[in-house]
Amino acid sequence: MANDTSTFVVISPWGKRLLTAFFVVFLLVLYLPTVLLVVFSFNDGTVAAFPLEGLTTKYYGLAFSSKEIRESLGASAWVGLGAATIATVIALMASYPLARRNVRGKAFISALMLVPLVVPTVVLAVALLLLFQKGPGQVGLGLTRIMVAHVVIAIPFAVLILLPRIASIDRRLEEAAYDLGATGLQTFRLVMLPLIVPSIISAFLISFVFSIDEVVIASFLSSDQVTYPVYLYSGLKVPEKTQTLIPVATIMIVISFVLAFGAEAIRRYGDRRLVGK
Amino acid sequence: MDGHIVLDGVTKAFGENVVVNNIDLSIGEGEFFSMLGPSGCGKTTTLRMIAGFEVPTEGTIILTGTDVTRVPPAKRNVNMVFQAYALFPHMTVQENIEFGLRIKRVKRDEVRARTAEAIESVQLEGFEARKPAQLSGGQQQRVALARALVNRPAALLLDEPLGALDMKLRKEMQHELKAIQVRTGTTFVYVTHDQEEALTMSDRIAVMNDGIVEQCAGPREIYEHPSTAFVAGFIGTSNIVNLRVDRSVDGNAVMDVSEGNRIVAKSDTKVGESLQVTVRPEKIHLGAGGLGDDASMVGGRISDVVYLGSMTQIMVDLATGDSLTVHRLNDEATTTEAKVGDTVTLHWAAANSFVIKGVPTIADREGDPALDTSDNHNGRHNT
């Protein structure tokens, strides 16, 4: 790399090979399981193992004709949409003053918002279970409990997406709107909102992906109705169910990928829009 | 006080820090009024108080006869052109300019007519559908102007609007701003730290320093008759000479430097007292000259010569210990070349020596609270 002027670090040829090897191993570790899952979902056999016994899509059909699977997917969608909506709204309402006003104890409040990120999920799950069952915060239905719990852990992600964006918008844009006669609400609706909409969508998608993926809290708090990750986890203990679970898991992976990439693409689009390109 | 915009005893403090200290200003209708000073002098804070973004700690602000001290910006009939323009990046030029009118629910026909008129007045026809980022700095500047002017404000407040432009464009925009101001008859309140900009465009200039107005007058008056040492130093190049009054002749204070050498200023200061006198470099001439008895005449040695293109700047050390800067035009008459080390005689008319006020003796200073506070804020220029 000595003749490459664009890099400041000079790496020896052997170092370069080592780095390349490391990167390949890294990618394999990260994506091989996912790829295997996709491959097995088309395997015409009763166990997920090599050698493959032929190509089929029959398990996709079987999976979606199962009432249990359809219900668990529906439950996941309901919990995910609800949790993402509520978390995004709360995160927006918290981020705006944190980014814009001189709130007393700003650092403390910010830290408090991010606590669910560092508390182990199992601890949080036990705490929530105690709260919902024994505490003053009793919530009736299983799915609503899970939704509330997912709101709690999705808020930090939504705040981390929204807060920097709002803070990066020139305060003078708001002053200019006030100066031209706009009320606070008009300023928010006509000036701020269009500039942060991409981040709002991004925060919503990330929260949603998080919720449809989450298994620990959902399994602690679910009663008769379970979300898909919980169903999947319990189903793996029953060998004859396994092959019908893999196709759905594959679809979930695809959805998660699309949403996560979509969220990032929208966030970048918003960044470009802010500088006006 | 009469005036289109009146500031009466306006003070603004952020905690302990007094940024604007008891200023009085009266700005006339249709006037191009500049507030000039170094950063941290309180000029932008004063402008923001007129706009309504800051509420004065003390004093009142009157706009077209109405007390607006506590009226929010949205309800004041003034508009601001922000530093770096603050155009709405997601809106087109057209939408940016229409914004104020649509908020005020002006009828659609009128919005269209007035927007078209504003776009024409800043020569942006054909750019209506562009986004701000697709425009050059100068064009963005025009959009910001049009966005404010379309509301027909009682006054336009401009916060260093040309700061982001390069030198050549800045000069062009200076002329254009002035032309727009004259054409629309709008009162402009203009904040700048660029003395040349202020001198070029303004009808009157308030020179500010440390939260107070040092001098408020027309450009010529400010340049030629600076009333304080700060103004003399901030505007253009200036020589400040210490003068101990040896004689008083016909209302002139005279300091005899040596035989035939004297510095003269119009002042009735008593013999034995001291003055500070300022004289502009271009008013000083090399040579003995044919000026009368009341002219200043003083000898010295050239310590530095700098060629500046249209003129030459010559530094002369005087026997009194002061040093004078002299500007000499490089015209055809200037055939002799000034060299470092040459002994020269300088002269200038008494009318060009200005006694600086506001440089009180120690006795004066004790009874003057305004000066005390301004002194306390020395070294806090960058707040």
Side-chain angles (χ1 to χ4, degrees), chain B residues 250-265:
Chain B
D250 299 336
N252 285 339
V254 181
M255 170 164 80
D256 291 310
V257 178
S258 61
E259 182 62 37
N261 279 0
R262 63 196 171 264
I263 296 173
V264 185

Side-chain angles (χ1 to χ4, degrees), chain B residues 21 145 151 214 257 288 319 323 326 349 369:
Chain B
N21 193 350
L145 266 177
N151 301 291
E214 294 263 346
V257 178
S323 176
V326 181

Side-chain angles (χ1 to χ4, degrees), chain B residues 19-36:
Chain B
V19 178
V20 175
N21 193 350
N22 192 22
I23 65 169
D24 299 311
L25 286 176
S26 177
I27 301 166
E29 187 169 1
E31 194 173 17
F32 197 124
F33 188 89
S34 290
M35 292 189 278
L36 173 67

Side-chain angles (χ1 to χ4, degrees), chain B residues 15-334:
Chain B
E16 291 282 286
N17 188 13
V18 181
V19 178
V20 175
N21 193 350
N22 192 22
I23 65 169
D24 299 311
L25 286 176
S26 177
I27 301 166
E29 187 169 1
E31 194 173 17
F32 197 124
F33 188 89
S34 290
M35 292 189 278
L36 173 67
S39 61
C41 72
K43 58 192 192 299
T44 296
T45 306
T46 306
L47 194 76
R48 288 174 62 82
M49 286 194 282
I50 300 174
F53 292 120
E54 308 286 354
V55 177
T57 316
E58 276 171 56
T60 49
I61 297 172
I62 293 159
L63 179 66
T64 59
T66 318
D67 184 340
V68 295
T69 313
R70 277 161 209 292
V71 175
K75 299 243 159 67
R76 293 189 193 198
N77 189 21
V78 291
N79 286 115
M80 187 127 163
V81 174
F82 291 83
Q83 217 172 355
Y85 325 131
L87 299 176
F88 306 128
H90 56 297
M91 297 186 197
T92 62
V93 168
Q94 175 93 20
E95 287 164 343
N96 263 287
I97 297 172
E98 283 176 351
F99 189 87
L101 298 178
R102 299 186 84 146
I103 290 287
K104 292 182 198 86
R105 303 193 178 283
V106 174
K107 285 204 194 74
R108 190 170 297 181
D109 292 350
E110 201 188 332
V111 171
R112 205 168 302 153
R114 278 168 69 175
T115 307
E117 187 191 322
I119 287 172
E120 196 194 323
S121 77
V122 295
Q123 294 157 22
L124 275 175
E125 298 100 326
F127 292 92
E128 290 88 344
R130 298 250 190 124
K131 294 276 180 74
Q134 296 169 309
L135 301 175
S136 70
Q139 289 165 338
Q140 289 184 32
Q141 170 69 75
R142 288 162 213 252
V143 177
L145 266 177
R147 183 176 70 175
L149 281 172
V150 77
N151 301 291
R152 297 183 182 147
L156 194 64
L157 313 175
L158 303 102
D159 184 9
E160 309 231 5
L162 306 183
L165 304 178
D166 64 52
M167 178 76 110
K168 189 161 174 286
L169 199 55
R170 198 151 67 210
K171 299 250 180 198
E172 280 171 33
M173 283 305 293
Q174 282 176 15
H175 290 291
E176 205 167 313
L177 269 179
K178 181 69 183 174
I180 290 169
Q181 190 260 337
V182 170
R183 200 160 61 231
T184 59
T186 311
T187 311
F188 273 36
V189 184
Y190 192 97
V191 159
T192 181
H193 65 267
D194 183 329
Q195 40 120 348
E196 191 212 316
E197 211 167 277
L199 291 174
T200 314
M201 294 190 286
S202 315
D203 295 318
R204 275 196 308 151
I205 302 168
V207 183
M208 292 184 68
N209 182 37
D210 258 341
I212 61 164
V213 175
E214 294 263 346
Q215 186 175 9
C216 182
R220 179 173 281 266
E221 179 75 10
I222 293 264
Y223 183 77
E224 297 195 356
H225 299 185
S227 65
T228 69
F230 176 81
V231 177
F234 192 74
I235 316 267
T237 313
S238 189
N239 294 300
I240 295 180
V241 183
N242 291 303
L243 191 154
R244 193 193 65 259
V245 184
D246 292 325
R247 288 183 287 141
S248 192
V249 185
D250 299 336
N252 285 339
V254 181
M255 170 164 80
D256 291 310
V257 178
S258 61
E259 182 62 37
N261 279 0
R262 63 196 171 264
I263 296 173
V264 185
K266 200 168 173 51
S267 169
D268 50 10
T269 308
K270 291 188 198 76
V271 172
E273 289 183 7
S274 282
L275 294 175
Q276 276 194 312
V277 170
T278 160
V279 54
R280 293 290 179 188
E282 69 276 13
K283 307 284 188 195
I284 304 175
H285 303 283
L286 263 67
L291 291 164
D293 234 14
D294 59 349
S296 297
M297 177 108 69
V298 65
R301 270 183 74 234
I302 295 177
S303 64
D304 192 23
V305 177
V306 182
Y307 179 74
L308 295 175
S310 63
M311 62 187 183
T312 302
Q313 176 174 296
I314 302 163
M315 301 283 290
V316 181
D317 290 339
L318 304 184
T320 59
D322 288 315
S323 176
L324 290 182
T325 303
V326 181
H327 285 168
R328 187 164 72 157
L329 272 179
N330 293 330
D331 56 10
E332 283 167 36
T334 321

Side-chain angles (χ1 to χ4, degrees), chain A residues 93-131:
Chain A
M93 292 196 300
S95 303
Y96 201 78
L98 282 175
R100 274 294 186 255
R101 292 175 202 282
N102 290 319
V103 185
R104 270 172 67 99
K106 199 179 209 165
F108 179 70
I109 295 169
S110 304
L112 210 60
M113 304 279 305
L114 303 181
V115 158
L117 274 183
V118 291
V119 175
T121 320
V122 177
V123 174
L124 203 62
V126 172
L128 286 165
L129 185 66
L130 286 175
L131 176 77

Side-chain angles (χ1 to χ4, degrees), chain A residues 170 172-183 186-187 189-192 194-195 273-277, chain B residues 48 51 53 73-74 78-80 82-84 86-91 99-100 103-105 133 147-148 151:
Chain A
D170 190 344
R172 281 174 294 200
L173 290 183
E174 284 170 277
E175 287 187 347
Y178 293 136
D179 187 64
L180 293 165
T183 61
Q186 283 173 320
T187 302
R189 191 166 56 85
L190 298 171
V191 177
M192 292 303 283
L195 294 173
R273 183 151 130 143
L274 197 61
V275 296
K277 289 280 156 54
Chain B
R48 288 174 62 82
F53 292 120
V78 291
N79 286 115
M80 187 127 163
F82 291 83
Q83 217 172 355
L87 299 176
F88 306 128
H90 56 297
M91 297 186 197
F99 189 87
I103 290 287
K104 292 182 198 86
R105 303 193 178 283
R147 183 176 70 175
N151 301 291

